[in-house]
C-alpha cells in the first residue's frame, strides 16, 4: 500500500498572532512557523502503518511557498520516503489545494491519502473532503482510530455526539484528528538523513491548476477585546458577584 | 435568489444547531428552503414545515440516507442545487464533513464557519483560532457556506406552514459503510447550547476529581466542558472538549477550573457572556479574559463553591 500525506506550513500553534495595522492580514514576517499539528498526526499514522508492514511507501506533499520545503523535510525526518513541493505564491484556497492533490494522486496512484482535519491558520476544515469529492473516493474525516483490514479501512470518527465507526474501501481519504496518535520527534540522525531523501519541486502551473483565490479577504481585524475583569478574594465573594452583579446564577 | 439549507437530524427530530443555521440562512435571503435527507423521517419534515422562516421543505427518503454519510448526501444536494444561490449548513461535525464535498462537486470555494452575514456575498469568519476576524467576499456564483451556530439565535419552531415537496433519492455510494455510533447519553444540557458550562483542565489531576465539577454542574444545571489537556490525559471523554479543535460554546456563564487558558482553548469559549477562572497560578492567561478571577487551589475552592451555592435560596435555570 502506498500512502500520500499532505502537510502544511503554518504559524506555530503557540504564537499569539498579530493583525497587521492596514487590515491586510496577520503578521507572518519573523514569526515562528511549524508544521500544522494535525498533519503531524497524519504523518505519524502513515509511518506506524509502514512499520507494521502494511505500507510500502510514504510520499509527503505540500502546496505552498519555497520555504514549505522545511515542512516536507520534517515529514521525511519522521519517516516519509520522499517529498513533493508544489510551489505557489500567496494564499491558496482548499479547493485549489484539492485540485493540485488530485493531479498528484492521478500521477502517484496512492491507495490512501492522509492529512490533518484542519489547518490551524485558515481553520477551514475542507481540503480532505474536497479531494475525496474530486476523486469520488470515500472519506473518513476527523479520524481518531484507524484499523487496516486488507482493502478496507475501519475508521473511528470524532463526532459531536461521541464516536462513530465507518468502513471505507481503499482507495480512500482520511483526515486526522489530534487524538489519533502521539506524533514522534525526529531524531538528529534522522533529520540529517532526511536531507538526502528525494524532494521533487513542481509549480501549480506545471500541473495546469489556477490557484487564484475565489474568496477575497477584504479585511482582517482584531476580534473585540474583552473588558478587563476583577480578581475576587474569596469563594463567597465570587458567588455573591455572580448572583447580584452579573446575575447569571 | 434562494437559499438551500441542509438539515441535520437523527430521523426523529431536527438537531438544535439547524435552528441557528436557519436564522443565518434567512439573513442571507428570506426565501429559505430546507433539504431533508433521511430515512423514515416524515415527522422531521412536518416539524420543519411548521417553522416560520422555512418557505419550502424538500424531502428525500432512502435506506442509505439513514446514517448521513456525506458520500450519499452530496450527490443529492448537487442535484437539487440548481435553483439556489447559496447552500448552507451548520459548522459542526455534520456540516464540516458534508459541505466541502458538495462545494468541490460544484467547483465552489467554500466559506467555513461564518459568524456574521454582512451581505449575501460577504461574511465575517474567525481565523487563527479566533485571534483574527476576516471579512471575506465570495466571487463564486453558487456559494457554499457553513454557519457557526453559537453566533446566531435559533429560529422559531412554529408559525409556518411550508409546502413539503418529495425529491427522488440518488444512488447509494457503496464504498463507504456506516458501522456504529456511540452516543454519550446524558441528562445534562448539551454542551453547545447550555446556559452555563463548568470546565475542568489539567489541574483536575485525575478523572475522579471531576466529581467536584459534576456536583457544581448539577447545582447550576450546567454542561460539563474540558480542556484538551484533560481529555488527552483521559480524565473525561472527548465530546466535552472546548476549543479550536473541540466545540465552541457561548454560554451566559463559563467557569474554567484548573485551565491555564491556552490560545486553542480560548478559541472555544472567549465569547461567553461571563467568564470565571479558578486557578492557583495567578499569572495564568485565563485571568486575562476572566470577568471574575479567583486565585485559589481548586480542591479547596470547589467544595466551598458548592457550599455557597447551597446557601442560595434560588438558582437561575
Amino acid at each position: 500500500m502506498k500512502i500520500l500525506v499532505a502537510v502544511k506550513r503554518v504559524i506555530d500553534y503557540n504564537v499569539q498572532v498579530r493583525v497587521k495595522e492596514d487590515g491586510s492580514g496577520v503578521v507572518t514576517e519573523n514569526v515562528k512557523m511549524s508544521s500544522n499539528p494535525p498533519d503531524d498526526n497524519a504523518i505519524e499514522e502513515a509511518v506506524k502503518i509502514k512499520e507494521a508492514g502494511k505500507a510500502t511507501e510514504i510520499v509527503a506533499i505540500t502546496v505552498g511557498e519555497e520555504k514549505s520545503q522545511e515542512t516536507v523535510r520534517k515529514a521525511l525526518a519522521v519517516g516519509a520516503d520522499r517529498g513533493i513541493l508544489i510551489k505557489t505564491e500567496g494564499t491558496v484556497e482548499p479547493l485549489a489545494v484539492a485540485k493540485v492533490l488530485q493531479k498528484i494522486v492521478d500521477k502517484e496512484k496512492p491507495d490512501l491519502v492522509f492529512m490533518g482535519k484542519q489547518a490551524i491558520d485558515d481553520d477551514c476544515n475542507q481540503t480532505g473532503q474536497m479531494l475525496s469529492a474530486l476523486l469520488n473516493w470515500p472519506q473518513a474525516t476527523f479520524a481518531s482510530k484507524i484499523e487496516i483490514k486488507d482493502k478496507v479501512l475501519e475508521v473511528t470518527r470524532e463526532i459531536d455526539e461521541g464516536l462513530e465507526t465507518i468502513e471505507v474501501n481503499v482507495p480512500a481519504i482520511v483526515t486526522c484528528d489530534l487524538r489519533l496518535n502521539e506524533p514522534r520527534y525526529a531524531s538528529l540522525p534522522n533529520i540529517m538523513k532526511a536531507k538526502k531523501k528525494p524532494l521533487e519541486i513542481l509549480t501549480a502551473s506545471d500541473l495546469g491548476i489556477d490557484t487564484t483565490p475565489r474568496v477575497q479577504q477584504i479585511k482582517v481585524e482584531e476580534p473585540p477585546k474583552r473588558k478587563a475583569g476583577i480578581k475576587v478574594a474569596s469563594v463567597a465573594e465570587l458567588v455573591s458577584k455572580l448572583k447580584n452583579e452579573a446575575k447569571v446564577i | 435568489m434562494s437559499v438551500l439549507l441542509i438539515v441535520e437530524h437523527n430521523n426523529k427530530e431536527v438537531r438544535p444547531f439547524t435552528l441557528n443555521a436557519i436564522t443565518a440562512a434567512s439573513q442571507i435571503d428570506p426565501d429559505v428552503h430546507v433539504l431533508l435527507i433521511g430515512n423514515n423521517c416524515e415527522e422531521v419534515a412536518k416539524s420543519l414545515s411548521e417553522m416560520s422562516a422555512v418557505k419550502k421543505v424538500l424531502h428525500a427518503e432512502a435506506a442509505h440516507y439513514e446514517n448521513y454519510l456525506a458520500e450519499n448526501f452530496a450527490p443529492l444536494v448537487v442535484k437539487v442545487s440548481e435553483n439556489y444561490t447559496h447552500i448552507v449548513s451548520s459548522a459542526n461535525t455534520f456540516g464540516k464533513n458534508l459541505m466541502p464535498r458538495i462545494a468541490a462537486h460544484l467547483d465552489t470555494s467554500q466559506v467555513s464557519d461564518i459568524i456574521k452575514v454582512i451581505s449575501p456575498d460577504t461574511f465575517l469568519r474567525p481565523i487563527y483560532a479566533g485571534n483574527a476576524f476576516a471579512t471575506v467576499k465570495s466571487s463564486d456564483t453558487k456559494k457554499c457556506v457553513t454557519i457557526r451556530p453559537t453566533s446566531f439565535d435559533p429560529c422559531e419552531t412554529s408559525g409556518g406552514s411550508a409546502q413539503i415537496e418529495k425529491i427522488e433519492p440518488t444512488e447509494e455510494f457503496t464504498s463507504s459503510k456506516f458501522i456504529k455510533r456511540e452516543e454519550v447519553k446524558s441528562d445534562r444540557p448539551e454542551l453547545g447550547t447550555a446556559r452555563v458550562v463548568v470546565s475542568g483542565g489539567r489541574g483536575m489531576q485525575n478523572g475522579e476529581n471531576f466529581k467536584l465539577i459534576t456536583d457544581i454542574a448539577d447545582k447550576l444545571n450546567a454542561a460539563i466542558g474540558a480542556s484538551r489537556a484533560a481529555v488527552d490525559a483521559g480524565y473525561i471523554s472527548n465530546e466535552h472538549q472546548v476549543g479550536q479543535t473541540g466545540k465552541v460554546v457561548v454560554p451566559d456563564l463559563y467557569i474554567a477550573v484548573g485551565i491555564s487558558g491556552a490560545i486553542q482553548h480560548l478559541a472555544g469559549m472567549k465569547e461567553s457572556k461571563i467568564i470565571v477562572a479558578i486557578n492557583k497560578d495567578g499569572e495564568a492567561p485565563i485571568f486575562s479574559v476572566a470577568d471574575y478571577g479567583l486565585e485559589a487551589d481548586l480542591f479547596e475552592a470547589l467544595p466551598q463553591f458548592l457550599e455557597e451555592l447551597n446557601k442560595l435560596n434560588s438558582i437561575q435555570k
Side-chain angles (χ1 to χ4, degrees):
Chain A
M1 201 132 55
K2 178 170 170 180
I3 307 178
L4 183 71
V5 185
V7 293
K8 184 178 186 184
R9 180 174 181 265
V10 296
I11 292 183
D12 187 82
Y13 73 101
N14 274 317
V15 170
Q16 177 73 50
V17 297
R18 279 183 301 125
V19 172
K20 286 183 187 164
E21 274 173 25
D22 64 1
S24 63
V26 305
V27 178
T28 54
E29 293 80 27
N30 302 316
V31 169
K32 186 184 176 199
M33 306 292 281
S34 298
S35 55
N36 182 45
D39 300 349
D40 291 339
N41 299 89
I43 281 282
E44 175 66 29
E45 196 66 16
V47 173
K48 277 165 83 173
I49 292 169
K50 192 179 172 202
E51 285 170 347
K54 290 176 180 167
T56 45
E57 192 187 22
I58 302 168
V59 182
I61 179 168
T62 196
V63 180
E65 56 184 52
E66 183 90 39
K67 281 184 179 161
S68 303
Q69 270 193 55
E70 296 164 11
T71 307
V72 178
R73 289 283 173 210
K74 185 187 163 193
L76 296 173
V78 170
D81 297 292
R82 59 190 172 87
I84 303 172
L85 163 67
I86 311 294
K87 243 179 13 178
T88 53
E89 301 290 333
T91 306
V92 187
E93 291 172 351
L95 183 63
V97 174
K99 286 178 180 178
V100 166
L101 294 178
Q102 182 190 14
K103 290 279 184 191
I104 299 298
V105 167
D106 287 345
K107 196 170 118 194
E108 294 279 344
K109 308 218 174 333
D111 301 285
L112 291 173
V113 180
F114 283 3
M115 65 183 84
K117 68 168 179 177
Q118 80 190 64
I120 60 163
D121 51 1
D122 62 27
D123 282 333
C124 278
N125 198 329
Q126 299 173 5
T127 310
Q129 296 89 313
M130 286 180 158
L131 176 61
S132 145
L134 296 176
L135 295 165
N136 203 30
W137 287 8
Q139 66 182 47
T141 53
F142 329 139
S144 61
K145 195 174 161 211
I146 301 170
E147 269 185 73
I148 300 185
K149 302 172 171 172
D150 198 22
K151 286 283 179 191
V152 175
L153 242 54
E154 187 181 287
V155 180
T156 304
R157 307 177 53 235
E158 305 265 328
I159 56 167
D160 290 330
E161 304 88 341
L163 296 172
E164 179 177 284
T165 308
I166 59 169
E167 263 182 18
V168 293
N169 294 349
V170 171
I173 310 287
V174 181
T175 75
C176 303
D177 189 87
L178 293 165
R179 225 152 272 126
L180 180 61
N181 53 41
E182 190 71 42
R184 71 192 70 183
Y185 290 99
S187 65
L188 187 60
N190 285 341
I191 292 171
M192 299 312 287
K193 270 187 230 159
K195 291 189 177 171
K196 297 202 177 74
K197 288 185 179 177
L199 197 159
E200 186 186 355
I201 300 178
L202 298 165
T203 65
S205 50
D206 289 341
L207 300 168
I209 305 291
D210 177 9
T211 59
T212 314
R214 314 257 201 95
V215 176
Q216 189 198 347
Q217 200 158 282
I218 297 174
K219 182 174 66 176
V220 175
E221 59 200 321
E222 288 210 15
K225 285 246 186 303
R226 288 190 75 92
K227 271 191 294 172
I230 57 158
K231 280 208 180 171
V232 293
S234 69
V235 174
E237 188 189 346
L238 174 62
V239 170
S240 146
K241 294 254 190 224
L242 291 176
K243 181 84 186 165
N244 306 315
E245 192 176 277
K247 300 191 188 338
V248 285
I249 61 172
Chain B
M1 199 177 93
S2 301
V3 181
L4 182 68
L5 177 133
I6 307 157
V7 175
E8 186 194 13
H9 64 101
N10 57 8
N11 298 301
K12 293 186 196 73
E13 56 189 7
V14 176
R15 303 265 306 153
F17 284 160
T18 286
L19 305 181
N20 309 64
I22 289 175
T23 301
S26 64
Q27 291 175 7
I28 295 171
D29 188 277
D31 195 20
V32 177
H33 297 190
V34 299
L35 175 58
L36 171 66
I37 313 172
N39 190 30
N40 297 324
C41 55
E42 284 78 13
E43 281 304 309
V44 185
K46 191 166 163 287
S47 68
L48 287 162
S49 70
E50 288 163 4
M51 296 178 186
S52 57
V54 172
K55 300 295 179 270
K56 193 192 228 179
V57 180
L58 307 179
H59 179 193
E61 289 256 349
H64 60 271
Y65 292 147
E66 169 93 27
N67 286 296
Y68 17 104
L69 286 179
E71 293 90 323
N72 285 324
F73 272 37
L76 180 69
V77 181
V78 170
K79 193 180 92 173
V80 174
S81 69
E82 202 180 319
N83 302 318
Y84 297 93
T85 52
H86 294 75
I87 320 289
V88 305
S89 190
S90 50
N92 55 350
T93 54
F94 169 79
K96 286 176 177 176
N97 184 51
L98 174 61
M99 189 63 82
R101 197 168 177 102
I102 297 163
H105 281 312
L106 295 171
D107 194 31
T108 287
S109 195
Q110 179 183 319
V111 182
S112 287
D113 214 12
I114 65 159
I115 56 173
K116 194 174 168 191
V117 176
I118 295 168
S119 76
D121 64 2
T122 308
F123 310 96
L124 189 68
R125 63 178 300 265
I127 52 175
Y128 291 94
N131 284 296
F133 283 180
T135 302
V136 297
K137 184 175 176 177
S138 164
S139 60
D140 284 310
T141 45
K142 217 179 267 303
K143 298 172 190 17
C144 288
V145 178
T146 60
I147 315 284
R148 176 173 286 198
T150 50
S151 297
F152 298 87
D153 293 328
C155 71
E156 293 291 336
T157 52
S158 61
S161 56
Q163 172 207 343
I164 302 175
E165 185 185 313
K166 290 277 182 195
I167 302 284
E168 279 299 305
T170 43
E171 273 175 38
E172 184 175 5
F173 184 91
T174 51
S175 291
S176 301
K177 200 165 81 188
F178 172 83
I179 305 292
K180 64 175 175 184
R181 190 171 295 123
E182 294 151 76
E183 290 186 26
V184 182
K185 298 265 177 279
S186 166
D187 300 332
R188 294 179 194 290
E190 249 186 279
L191 181 56
T193 51
R195 200 186 67 83
V196 180
V197 174
V198 190
S199 277
R202 202 195 299 272
M204 298 309 297
Q205 295 181 2
N206 61 46
E208 287 82 70
N209 290 337
F210 258 80
K211 173 89 170 60
L212 296 168
I213 294 222
T214 319
D215 289 344
I216 286 167
D218 283 341
K219 198 76 201 162
L220 294 170
N221 189 31
I224 293 177
S227 69
R228 185 174 167 224
V231 171
D232 285 352
Y235 303 167
I236 190 162
S237 57
N238 69 284
E239 70 279 356
H240 293 281
Q241 189 189 321
V242 171
Q244 186 182 22
T245 57
K247 289 194 178 104
V248 177
V249 299
V250 190
D252 288 350
L253 173 61
Y254 188 89
I255 305 176
V257 185
I259 292 177
S260 63
I263 296 168
Q264 297 77 20
H265 185 76
L266 299 183
M269 45 64 76
K270 70 178 176 189
E271 305 302 317
S272 304
K273 224 174 271 170
I274 297 288
I275 297 173
V276 170
I278 302 177
N279 204 304
K280 65 179 173 192
D281 174 11
E283 302 298 311
I286 190 77
F287 285 114
S288 68
V289 299
D291 299 278
Y292 301 107
L294 176 66
E295 202 180 318
D297 186 335
L298 68 94
F299 295 103
E300 286 167 24
L302 289 183
Q304 283 173 29
F305 195 16
L306 185 63
E307 208 174 296
E308 289 294 331
L309 290 176
N310 283 330
K311 282 190 209 162
L312 298 175
N313 320 328
S314 66
I315 287 178
Q316 275 185 49
K317 291 290 177 195

